[in-house]
Coordinates of all heavy atoms in Angstrom, one line a residue:
M4 N 0.9 -1.2 0.0 CA 0.0 0.0 0.0 C 0.9 1.2 0.0 O 1.8 1.4 0.9 CB -0.9 0.0 1.2 CG -1.7 1.2 1.4 SD -2.7 1.2 2.9 CE -4.1 0.4 2.3
P5 N 0.7 2.2 -0.9 CA 1.5 3.4 -1.0 C 1.2 4.3 0.2 O 0.1 4.3 0.6 CB 1.2 4.0 -2.3 CG -0.1 3.4 -2.7 CD -0.2 2.1 -2.0
D6 N 2.2 5.0 0.6 CA 2.0 6.0 1.7 C 1.2 7.2 1.2 O 1.2 7.5 0.0 CB 3.3 6.4 2.4 CG 4.2 7.2 1.5 OD1 4.1 7.0 0.2 OD2 5.0 8.0 2.0
A7 N 0.6 7.9 2.0 CA -0.2 9.1 1.6 C 0.5 10.4 1.6 O 0.0 11.4 1.8 CB -1.4 9.2 2.6
A8 N 1.8 10.3 1.4 CA 2.7 11.5 1.4 C 2.6 12.3 2.7 O 2.5 13.5 2.7 CB 2.4 12.3 0.2
L9 N 2.5 11.6 3.8 CA 2.4 12.3 5.1 C 3.8 12.5 5.8 O 3.8 12.9 6.9 CB 1.5 11.5 6.0 CG 0.0 11.4 5.5 CD1 -0.8 10.6 6.5 CD2 -0.6 12.8 5.3
A10 N 4.8 12.1 5.1 CA 6.1 12.3 5.6 C 6.4 13.8 5.7 O 5.9 14.6 4.9 CB 7.2 11.6 4.8
P11 N 7.2 14.3 6.6 CA 7.6 15.7 6.7 C 8.3 16.1 5.4 O 9.3 15.6 5.0 CB 8.5 15.8 7.9 CG 8.7 14.5 8.4 CD 7.9 13.5 7.7
A12 N 7.7 17.1 4.8 CA 8.3 17.6 3.5 C 9.3 18.7 3.8 O 9.1 19.5 4.7 CB 7.2 18.1 2.6
T13 N 10.3 18.7 3.0 CA 11.3 19.8 3.1 C 11.4 20.5 1.8 O 10.9 20.1 0.8 CB 12.7 19.2 3.5 OG1 13.1 18.4 2.4 CG2 12.7 18.4 4.8
R14 N 12.1 21.6 1.8 CA 12.3 22.4 0.6 C 13.6 22.0 -0.1 O 14.0 22.6 -1.1 CB 12.4 23.9 0.9 CG 11.1 24.5 1.5 CD 11.2 25.9 1.7 NE 12.3 26.3 2.6 CZ 12.1 26.8 3.7 NH1 11.0 27.1 4.2 NH2 13.2 27.1 4.5
R15 N 14.2 21.0 0.4 CA 15.5 20.6 -0.2 C 15.3 19.8 -1.5 O 14.3 19.1 -1.7 CB 16.3 19.7 0.7 CG 16.7 20.5 2.0 CD 17.2 19.6 3.1 NE 18.3 18.7 2.6 CZ 18.9 17.8 3.4 NH1 18.5 17.7 4.6 NH2 19.8 17.0 2.9
S16 N 16.2 20.1 -2.5 CA 16.0 19.5 -3.8 C 16.6 18.1 -3.8 O 16.4 17.3 -4.8 CB 16.7 20.3 -4.8 OG 18.1 20.3 -4.6
G17 N 17.4 17.7 -2.9 CA 18.0 16.4 -2.9 C 19.5 16.5 -3.3 O 20.3 15.7 -3.0
S18 N 19.8 17.6 -4.0 CA 21.2 17.7 -4.5 C 22.0 18.7 -3.6 O 23.2 18.9 -3.7 CB 21.2 18.2 -5.9 OG 20.6 19.5 -6.0
S19 N 21.2 19.4 -2.7 CA 21.9 20.3 -1.8 C 22.5 19.6 -0.6 O 21.9 18.7 0.0 CB 20.9 21.3 -1.3 OG 21.4 22.2 -0.3
I20 N 23.7 20.1 -0.2 CA 24.3 19.5 1.0 C 24.0 20.3 2.2 O 24.4 19.9 3.3 CB 25.8 19.3 0.8 CG1 26.5 20.7 0.6 CG2 26.1 18.3 -0.3 CD1 28.0 20.6 0.6
R21 N 23.4 21.4 2.1 CA 23.1 22.3 3.2 C 21.8 21.8 3.9 O 20.9 21.3 3.2 CB 22.9 23.7 2.8 CG 24.2 24.2 2.1 CD 24.0 25.6 1.7 NE 24.0 26.5 2.9 CZ 23.5 27.7 2.9 NH1 23.1 28.3 1.8 NH2 23.5 28.4 4.0
G22 N 21.7 22.0 5.2 CA 20.5 21.6 5.9 C 19.4 22.5 5.8 O 19.5 23.6 5.2
E23 N 18.3 22.2 6.3 CA 17.1 23.0 6.3 C 17.3 24.2 7.3 O 17.8 24.1 8.4 CB 15.9 22.2 6.9 CG 14.6 22.9 6.7 CD 14.1 22.9 5.3 OE1 14.6 22.1 4.4 OE2 13.2 23.6 5.0
Q24 N 17.0 25.4 6.8 CA 17.2 26.6 7.5 C 15.9 27.3 7.9 O 15.0 27.3 7.0 CB 18.1 27.6 6.7 CG 19.5 27.1 6.4 CD 20.3 27.1 7.6 OE1 20.2 27.9 8.6 NE2 21.2 26.1 7.7
P25 N 15.7 27.8 9.1 CA 14.5 28.5 9.4 C 14.4 29.8 8.7 O 15.5 30.4 8.3 CB 14.6 28.7 10.9 CG 16.0 28.6 11.2 CD 16.6 27.7 10.2
S26 N 13.2 30.3 8.4 CA 13.1 31.5 7.7 C 13.6 32.7 8.5 O 13.4 32.7 9.8 CB 11.6 31.8 7.4 OG 11.4 33.0 6.9
R27 N 14.2 33.6 7.9 CA 14.7 34.8 8.6 C 13.9 36.1 8.2 O 14.3 37.2 8.5 CB 16.2 35.1 8.2 CG 17.1 34.0 8.7 CD 18.5 34.3 8.4 NE 19.3 33.1 8.7 CZ 20.6 33.0 8.4 NH1 21.1 33.9 7.6 NH2 21.2 31.9 8.8
R28 N 12.8 35.8 7.6 CA 11.9 37.0 7.1 C 11.1 37.5 8.2 O 10.6 38.6 8.1 CB 11.0 36.5 6.0 CG 11.9 36.1 4.8 CD 11.1 35.8 3.5 NE 9.8 35.2 3.8 CZ 8.9 34.9 2.9 NH1 9.2 35.2 1.6 NH2 7.8 34.4 3.2
G29 N 10.8 36.8 9.3 CA 10.1 37.3 10.4 C 8.6 37.1 10.2 O 8.1 36.5 9.2
N30 N 7.8 37.7 11.1 CA 6.4 37.6 11.1 C 5.8 38.7 10.3 O 5.9 39.9 10.7 CB 5.9 37.7 12.6 CG 4.4 37.5 12.7 OD1 3.6 37.9 11.9 ND2 4.0 37.0 13.9
K31 N 5.2 38.4 9.2 CA 4.7 39.4 8.2 C 3.6 40.3 8.8 O 3.6 41.5 8.6 CB 4.2 38.8 6.9 CG 5.3 38.2 6.1 CD 4.7 37.6 4.8 CE 5.7 36.9 4.0 NZ 5.1 36.3 2.8
R32 N 2.7 39.6 9.6 CA 1.6 40.4 10.2 C 2.1 41.4 11.2 O 1.6 42.5 11.3 CB 0.6 39.4 10.8 CG -0.2 38.6 9.8 CD -1.1 37.7 10.5 NE -1.9 36.9 9.6 CZ -2.7 36.0 9.9 NH1 -2.9 35.7 11.2 NH2 -3.4 35.3 9.0
L33 N 3.1 41.0 12.0 CA 3.6 41.9 13.0 C 4.3 43.1 12.4 O 4.2 44.2 12.8 CB 4.5 41.1 13.9 CG 5.1 41.9 15.1 CD1 3.9 42.4 16.0 CD2 6.0 41.0 15.9
K34 N 5.1 42.8 11.3 CA 5.9 43.8 10.7 C 4.9 44.8 10.0 O 5.1 46.0 10.0 CB 6.8 43.3 9.6 CG 8.0 42.6 10.3 CD 9.1 42.4 9.3 CE 8.9 41.2 8.4 NZ 10.0 40.8 7.6
R35 N 3.8 44.3 9.4 CA 2.8 45.1 8.8 C 2.1 46.0 9.8 O 1.9 47.2 9.6 CB 1.8 44.3 8.1 CG 0.7 45.1 7.3 CD -0.1 44.2 6.5 NE -1.3 44.6 5.7 CZ -1.8 45.7 5.5 NH1 -1.2 46.8 5.9 NH2 -2.9 45.9 4.8
A36 N 1.8 45.5 11.0 CA 1.2 46.2 12.0 C 2.1 47.4 12.5 O 1.6 48.5 12.7 CB 0.9 45.3 13.2
F37 N 3.4 47.1 12.6 CA 4.3 48.2 13.0 C 4.4 49.3 11.9 O 4.5 50.5 12.3 CB 5.7 47.6 13.4 CG 5.7 47.0 14.7 CD1 6.1 45.7 14.9 CD2 5.4 47.7 15.9 CE1 6.2 45.1 16.2 CE2 5.4 47.2 17.1 CZ 5.9 45.9 17.3
R38 N 4.5 48.9 10.7 CA 4.5 49.9 9.6 C 3.3 50.7 9.6 O 3.4 51.9 9.4 CB 4.7 49.2 8.2 CG 6.2 48.8 8.0 CD 6.4 48.4 6.5 NE 5.4 47.5 6.0 CZ 5.5 46.2 6.0 NH1 6.6 45.6 6.5 NH2 4.6 45.4 5.4
L39 N 2.1 50.1 9.7 CA 0.9 50.9 9.8 C 0.8 51.8 11.0 O 0.4 53.0 10.9 CB -0.3 49.9 9.8 CG -0.6 49.2 8.5 CD1 -1.8 48.2 8.6 CD2 -0.9 50.2 7.4
A40 N 1.3 51.4 12.1 CA 1.3 52.2 13.3 C 2.3 53.4 13.1 O 2.0 54.5 13.5 CB 1.8 51.4 14.5
A41 N 3.4 53.1 12.4 CA 4.4 54.2 12.1 C 3.7 55.2 11.1 O 3.9 56.4 11.3 CB 5.6 53.7 11.5
F42 N 3.0 54.7 10.2 CA 2.4 55.6 9.2 C 1.3 56.5 9.9 O 1.2 57.7 9.6 CB 1.7 54.8 8.1 CG 1.1 55.6 7.0 CD1 1.9 56.3 6.1 CD2 -0.2 55.8 6.8 CE1 1.4 57.1 5.1 CE2 -0.8 56.5 5.9 CZ 0.0 57.2 5.0
A43 N 0.5 55.9 10.8 CA -0.5 56.6 11.5 C 0.1 57.6 12.5 O -0.5 58.6 12.8 CB -1.4 55.6 12.3
S44 N 1.3 57.4 12.9 CA 2.0 58.3 13.9 C 2.6 59.5 13.2 O 3.1 60.4 13.9 CB 3.0 57.6 14.7 OG 4.2 57.4 13.8
L45 N 2.5 59.6 11.9 CA 3.1 60.8 11.2 C 2.3 62.1 11.5 O 2.8 63.2 11.2 CB 3.1 60.5 9.6 CG 4.0 59.5 9.1 CD1 3.9 59.3 7.7 CD2 5.5 59.9 9.5
S46 N 1.1 62.0 12.1 CA 0.4 63.2 12.5 C 1.0 63.8 13.8 O 0.7 64.9 14.2 CB -1.1 62.9 12.7 OG -1.2 61.9 13.7
Q47 N 1.8 63.0 14.5 CA 2.5 63.5 15.8 C 3.8 64.2 15.4 O 4.5 63.8 14.5 CB 2.9 62.3 16.6 CG 1.7 61.4 17.0 CD 0.7 62.2 17.8 OE1 1.0 62.9 18.7 NE2 -0.6 62.0 17.6
P48 N 4.0 65.4 16.0 CA 5.1 66.2 15.6 C 6.5 65.5 15.7 O 7.3 65.7 14.9 CB 5.0 67.4 16.6 CG 3.7 67.4 17.1 CD 3.2 66.0 17.1
D49 N 6.7 64.8 16.8 CA 8.0 64.1 17.0 C 8.2 63.1 15.9 O 9.3 63.0 15.3 CB 8.1 63.5 18.4 CG 8.2 64.5 19.5 OD1 8.6 65.6 19.2 OD2 7.8 64.2 20.6
S50 N 7.2 62.3 15.6 CA 7.3 61.2 14.6 C 7.5 61.9 13.2 O 8.3 61.4 12.4 CB 6.1 60.3 14.6 OG 6.0 59.6 15.8
R51 N 6.8 63.0 12.9 CA 6.9 63.6 11.6 C 8.3 64.2 11.5 O 8.9 64.2 10.4 CB 5.8 64.7 11.5 CG 6.0 65.6 10.3 CD 6.0 64.8 9.0 NE 4.7 64.4 8.6 CZ 4.4 63.9 7.4 NH1 5.3 63.8 6.5 NH2 3.2 63.5 7.1
A52 N 8.8 64.8 12.5 CA 10.2 65.4 12.5 C 11.2 64.3 12.2 O 12.1 64.5 11.3 CB 10.5 66.1 13.8
Y53 N 11.1 63.1 12.8 CA 12.0 62.0 12.5 C 11.9 61.5 11.1 O 12.9 61.3 10.4 CB 11.8 60.9 13.5 CG 12.7 59.7 13.4 CD1 14.0 59.8 14.0 CD2 12.4 58.6 12.7 CE1 14.9 58.8 13.9 CE2 13.3 57.6 12.6 CZ 14.5 57.6 13.2 OH 15.4 56.6 13.1
Y54 N 10.7 61.4 10.6 CA 10.4 60.9 9.3 C 11.0 61.9 8.3 O 11.7 61.6 7.3 CB 8.9 60.8 9.1 CG 8.5 60.5 7.6 CD1 8.6 59.2 7.1 CD2 8.1 61.5 6.8 CE1 8.2 59.0 5.8 CE2 7.7 61.3 5.5 CZ 7.8 60.0 5.0 OH 7.4 59.8 3.7
D55 N 10.7 63.2 8.5 CA 11.2 64.3 7.6 C 12.8 64.3 7.6 O 13.4 64.5 6.5 CB 10.7 65.6 8.0 CG 9.2 65.8 7.7 OD1 8.7 65.0 6.8 OD2 8.6 66.6 8.3
R56 N 13.4 64.0 8.7 CA 14.8 64.0 8.8 C 15.4 62.8 8.0 O 16.4 63.0 7.2 CB 15.3 63.8 10.3 CG 16.8 64.0 10.4 CD 17.3 64.0 11.8 NE 17.5 62.6 12.2 CZ 17.3 62.1 13.4 NH1 16.8 62.8 14.3 NH2 17.5 60.8 13.7
K57 N 14.7 61.7 8.0 CA 15.1 60.5 7.2 C 15.0 60.8 5.7 O 15.8 60.4 4.9 CB 14.4 59.3 7.6 CG 14.7 58.8 9.0 CD 16.2 58.4 9.0 CE 16.7 58.0 10.4 NZ 18.1 57.6 10.4
R58 N 13.9 61.5 5.4 CA 13.7 61.9 4.0 C 14.7 62.8 3.5 O 15.2 62.7 2.3 CB 12.3 62.5 3.8 CG 11.1 61.5 4.0 CD 11.1 60.5 2.9 NE 10.6 61.1 1.7 CZ 10.5 60.6 0.5 NH1 11.0 59.4 0.4 NH2 10.1 61.2 -0.5
R59 N 15.2 63.7 4.4 CA 16.3 64.7 4.0 C 17.6 63.9 3.8 O 18.5 64.4 3.1 CB 16.4 65.8 5.0 CG 15.4 66.9 4.9 CD 15.7 68.1 5.7 NE 15.9 67.8 7.1 CZ 15.0 67.7 8.1 NH1 13.7 68.0 7.7 NH2 15.2 67.4 9.3
E60 N 17.7 62.8 4.5 CA 18.9 61.9 4.3 C 18.8 61.0 3.0 O 19.5 60.1 2.9 CB 19.1 61.0 5.5 CG 19.4 61.8 6.8 CD 19.4 60.9 8.0 OE1 19.2 59.6 7.9 OE2 19.5 61.4 9.1
D61 N 17.9 61.4 2.2 CA 17.7 60.7 0.9 C 17.2 59.3 1.0 O 17.4 58.5 0.1 CB 18.9 60.7 0.0 CG 19.3 62.1 -0.5 OD1 18.4 62.9 -0.6 OD2 20.5 62.4 -0.7
K62 N 16.4 59.0 2.1 CA 15.7 57.7 2.2 C 14.4 57.8 1.4 O 13.8 58.9 1.5 CB 15.5 57.3 3.6 CG 16.8 56.9 4.3 CD 16.4 56.3 5.7 CE 17.6 55.9 6.4 NZ 18.2 54.6 6.0
H63 N 14.0 56.8 0.8 CA 12.7 56.7 0.2 C 11.6 56.6 1.2 O 11.9 56.4 2.4 CB 12.6 55.5 -0.8 CG 13.5 55.6 -2.0 ND1 13.2 56.4 -3.0 CD2 14.7 55.0 -2.2 CE1 14.2 56.3 -3.9 NE2 15.1 55.5 -3.5
H64 N 10.4 56.9 0.8 CA 9.3 56.9 1.8 C 9.2 55.6 2.6 O 9.1 55.7 3.8 CB 7.9 57.1 1.0 CG 6.7 56.8 1.8 ND1 6.3 57.6 2.8 CD2 5.9 55.8 1.8 CE1 5.2 57.1 3.4 NE2 4.9 56.0 2.8
V65 N 9.3 54.5 2.0 CA 9.2 53.2 2.7 C 10.3 53.0 3.6 O 10.1 52.5 4.8 CB 9.0 52.0 1.7 CG1 9.0 50.7 2.4 CG2 7.8 52.2 0.8
A66 N 11.5 53.3 3.2 CA 12.7 53.2 4.1 C 12.6 54.1 5.3 O 12.9 53.7 6.4 CB 14.0 53.5 3.3
A67 N 12.1 55.3 5.1 CA 11.9 56.3 6.2 C 10.9 55.8 7.1 O 11.0 55.9 8.4 CB 11.6 57.7 5.7
L68 N 9.8 55.2 6.6 CA 8.7 54.6 7.4 C 9.2 53.4 8.2 O 8.9 53.3 9.4 CB 7.6 54.2 6.5 CG 6.2 54.2 7.1 CD1 5.8 55.6 7.7 CD2 5.2 53.8 6.1
V69 N 10.0 52.6 7.6 CA 10.6 51.4 8.4 C 11.5 51.9 9.5 O 11.5 51.4 10.6 CB 11.3 50.5 7.4 CG1 12.1 49.4 8.1 CG2 10.3 49.8 6.5
S70 N 12.3 53.0 9.2 CA 13.2 53.5 10.2 C 12.3 54.1 11.4 O 12.7 53.9 12.6 CB 14.0 54.7 9.7 OG 14.9 54.2 8.7
L71 N 11.2 54.7 11.1 CA 10.3 55.2 12.1 C 9.7 54.1 12.9 O 9.7 54.1 14.2 CB 9.3 56.1 11.5 CG 8.2 56.7 12.5 CD1 8.8 57.5 13.6 CD2 7.2 57.5 11.7
A72 N 9.3 53.0 12.2 CA 8.7 51.9 12.9 C 9.8 51.2 13.8 O 9.5 50.9 15.0 CB 8.2 50.9 11.9
R73 N 11.0 51.1 13.4 CA 12.1 50.6 14.2 C 12.3 51.4 15.4 O 12.5 50.9 16.5 CB 13.4 50.4 13.3 CG 14.5 49.9 14.1 CD 14.2 48.5 14.6 NE 15.3 48.1 15.6 CZ 15.8 46.9 15.7 NH1 15.4 46.0 14.9 NH2 16.7 46.7 16.5
R74 N 12.3 52.7 15.3 CA 12.5 53.6 16.4 C 11.4 53.4 17.4 O 11.6 53.4 18.6 CB 12.6 55.0 16.0 CG 12.9 56.0 17.1 CD 13.0 57.4 16.6 NE 13.5 58.2 17.6 CZ 13.5 59.6 17.6 NH1 12.9 60.2 16.5 NH2 14.0 60.3 18.5
R75 N 10.2 53.3 16.9 CA 9.0 53.1 17.8 C 9.1 51.7 18.6 O 8.8 51.6 19.7 CB 7.7 53.2 17.1 CG 7.5 54.7 16.6 CD 6.3 54.8 15.7 NE 5.1 54.2 16.2 CZ 4.2 54.9 17.0 NH1 4.4 56.2 17.2 NH2 3.1 54.4 17.4
I76 N 9.6 50.7 17.9 CA 9.8 49.4 18.5 C 10.9 49.5 19.6 O 10.7 48.9 20.7 CB 10.2 48.4 17.4 CG1 9.0 48.1 16.5 CG2 10.7 47.1 18.1 CD1 9.4 47.3 15.3
D77 N 11.9 50.3 19.3 CA 13.0 50.5 20.3 C 12.4 51.1 21.6 O 12.8 50.7 22.7 CB 14.1 51.3 19.8 CG 14.9 50.5 18.7 OD1 14.8 49.3 18.7 OD2 15.7 51.2 18.0
V78 N 11.5 52.1 21.4 CA 10.9 52.8 22.6 C 10.0 51.8 23.3 O 10.0 51.7 24.6 CB 10.1 54.0 22.1 CG1 9.3 54.6 23.2 CG2 11.1 55.1 21.6
L79 N 9.2 51.0 22.6 CA 8.4 50.0 23.2 C 9.2 49.0 24.0 O 8.8 48.6 25.1 CB 7.5 49.3 22.1 CG 6.5 48.3 22.6 CD1 5.5 48.9 23.5 CD2 5.8 47.7 21.4
F80 N 10.3 48.5 23.4 CA 11.1 47.6 24.1 C 11.7 48.1 25.4 O 11.7 47.5 26.4 CB 12.2 47.1 23.2 CG 13.2 46.2 23.9 CD1 12.9 44.8 24.1 CD2 14.4 46.6 24.3 CE1 13.7 44.0 24.8 CE2 15.3 45.8 24.9 CZ 15.0 44.4 25.2
A81 N 12.1 49.4 25.3 CA 12.7 50.0 26.5 C 11.6 50.2 27.6 O 11.9 50.0 28.8 CB 13.3 51.4 26.2
M82 N 10.4 50.5 27.2 CA 9.3 50.6 28.2 C 9.0 49.2 28.8 O 8.9 49.1 30.1 CB 8.0 51.1 27.5 CG 8.1 52.5 27.1 SD 6.7 53.1 26.0 CE 5.3 52.2 26.6
L83 N 9.0 48.2 28.1 CA 8.8 46.8 28.6 C 10.0 46.4 29.5 O 9.8 45.8 30.6 CB 8.6 45.8 27.5 CG 7.3 45.9 26.7 CD1 7.3 45.0 25.5 CD2 6.1 45.6 27.6
R84 N 11.2 46.7 29.1 CA 12.4 46.3 29.8 C 12.4 47.0 31.2 O 12.8 46.4 32.2 CB 13.6 46.7 29.0 CG 14.9 46.3 29.7 CD 16.1 47.0 29.0 NE 15.9 48.5 29.1 CZ 16.3 49.3 28.2 NH1 16.9 48.9 27.1 NH2 16.2 50.6 28.3
D85 N 12.1 48.3 31.2 CA 12.2 49.1 32.4 C 11.0 49.1 33.2 O 11.0 49.6 34.4 CB 12.6 50.5 32.1 CG 14.0 50.6 31.3 OD1 14.8 49.7 31.5 OD2 14.2 51.6 30.6
G86 N 9.9 48.6 32.7 CA 8.6 48.6 33.4 C 8.0 50.0 33.6 O 7.5 50.3 34.6
T87 N 8.2 50.9 32.6 CA 7.8 52.3 32.7 C 6.7 52.6 31.7 O 6.5 51.8 30.7 CB 8.9 53.2 32.5 OG1 9.5 53.0 31.2 CG2 10.0 53.0 33.6
F88 N 6.1 53.7 31.8 CA 5.1 54.2 30.9 C 5.8 55.2 30.0 O 6.9 55.8 30.3 CB 3.9 54.9 31.5 CG 3.1 53.9 32.3 CD1 3.1 53.9 33.7 CD2 2.3 53.0 31.7 CE1 2.3 53.0 34.4 CE2 1.5 52.0 32.4 CZ 1.6 52.1 33.8
Y89 N 5.2 55.5 28.8 CA 5.8 56.4 27.9 C 5.8 57.8 28.4 O 4.7 58.3 28.9 CB 5.1 56.4 26.5 CG 5.6 57.3 25.5 CD1 6.9 57.1 24.9 CD2 4.9 58.5 25.2 CE1 7.4 58.0 24.0 CE2 5.4 59.4 24.3 CZ 6.7 59.1 23.7 OH 7.2 60.0 22.8
Q90 N 6.9 58.5 28.4 CA 7.0 59.9 28.8 C 7.6 60.6 27.5 O 8.7 60.4 27.1 CB 8.0 60.1 29.9 CG 7.5 59.4 31.2 CD 6.2 60.0 31.8 OE1 6.0 61.3 31.6 NE2 5.4 59.2 32.3
P91 N 6.8 61.5 27.0 CA 7.3 62.3 25.8 C 8.6 63.1 26.2 O 8.7 63.5 27.3 CB 6.2 63.2 25.4 CG 5.0 62.9 26.3 CD 5.4 62.0 27.3
P92 N 9.5 63.2 25.3 CA 10.7 63.9 25.6 C 10.4 65.4 25.9 O 9.6 66.0 25.2 CB 11.6 63.7 24.4 CG 10.7 63.3 23.3 CD 9.5 62.7 23.9
T93 N 11.1 65.9 26.9 CA 10.9 67.3 27.3 C 11.9 68.1 26.5 O 13.1 67.7 26.4 CB 11.0 67.5 28.8 OG1 12.3 67.0 29.2 CG2 9.9 66.8 29.5
P94 N 11.5 69.3 26.0 CA 12.5 70.1 25.3 C 13.6 70.6 26.2 O 13.3 71.0 27.4 CB 11.7 71.2 24.7 CG 10.4 71.2 25.4 CD 10.2 69.8 26.0
A95 N 14.8 70.5 25.8 CA 15.9 71.0 26.6 C 15.9 72.5 26.7 O 15.8 73.2 25.7 CB 17.2 70.5 26.0
T96 N 16.1 73.0 27.9 CA 16.1 74.4 28.1 C 17.5 74.9 28.0 O 18.4 74.3 28.6 CB 15.4 74.8 29.4 OG1 16.1 74.1 30.4 CG2 14.0 74.5 29.4
V97 N 17.7 76.0 27.4 CA 19.1 76.6 27.2 C 19.4 77.6 28.2 O 18.6 78.4 28.7 CB 19.3 77.1 25.8 CG1 20.7 77.7 25.7 CG2 19.1 76.0 24.8

């Protein structure tokens, strides 16, 4: 009786000597959520200033948006690490 092809399938062609590697692309849904959140935050002055600075550095729209999303992720990580709430930066007085 032939098997029902229930064996674990791999992406290997059979001629490759390299092993199976996990994907490094990450979670698409999570990355999309962060990009959309970054896009929505462009109405905030601090986020808009950061985005505009990246655009002046000759980054394309998507690259500047990804940079903004990464910055927001860094802030979120710091809040989780330190157990604090978000405090907007206070302007430095001269």
Side-chain angles (χ1 to χ4, degrees):
M4 175 183 272
D6 65 333
L9 297 178
T13 65
R14 294 185 303 244
R15 294 170 51 182
S16 67
S18 62
S19 173
I20 60 171
R21 300 181 71 196
E23 190 74 16
Q24 296 291 324
S26 173
R27 294 183 186 168
R28 297 185 327 176
N30 187 327
K31 289 182 184 180
R32 288 182 181 173
L33 186 59
K34 287 196 282 188
R35 183 173 174 8
F37 280 125
R38 280 195 311 271
L39 288 175
F42 185 73
S44 75
L45 289 177
S46 62
Q47 302 298 318
D49 292 334
S50 294
R51 174 54 77 166
Y53 184 81
Y54 172 83
D55 290 339
R56 189 176 87 213
K57 290 298 176 182
R58 291 291 286 170
R59 282 192 303 274
E60 293 174 5
D61 291 332
K62 287 191 181 281
H63 293 284
H64 166 73
V65 174
L68 206 58
V69 168
S70 295
L71 177 58
R73 178 58 193 222
R74 183 177 191 195
R75 292 172 55 88
I76 291 169
D77 290 343
V78 169
L79 180 62
F80 176 76
M82 288 169 37
L83 291 171
R84 180 194 63 212
D85 300 337
T87 59
F88 294 107
Y89 178 73
Q90 296 294 326
T93 57
T96 57
V97 177

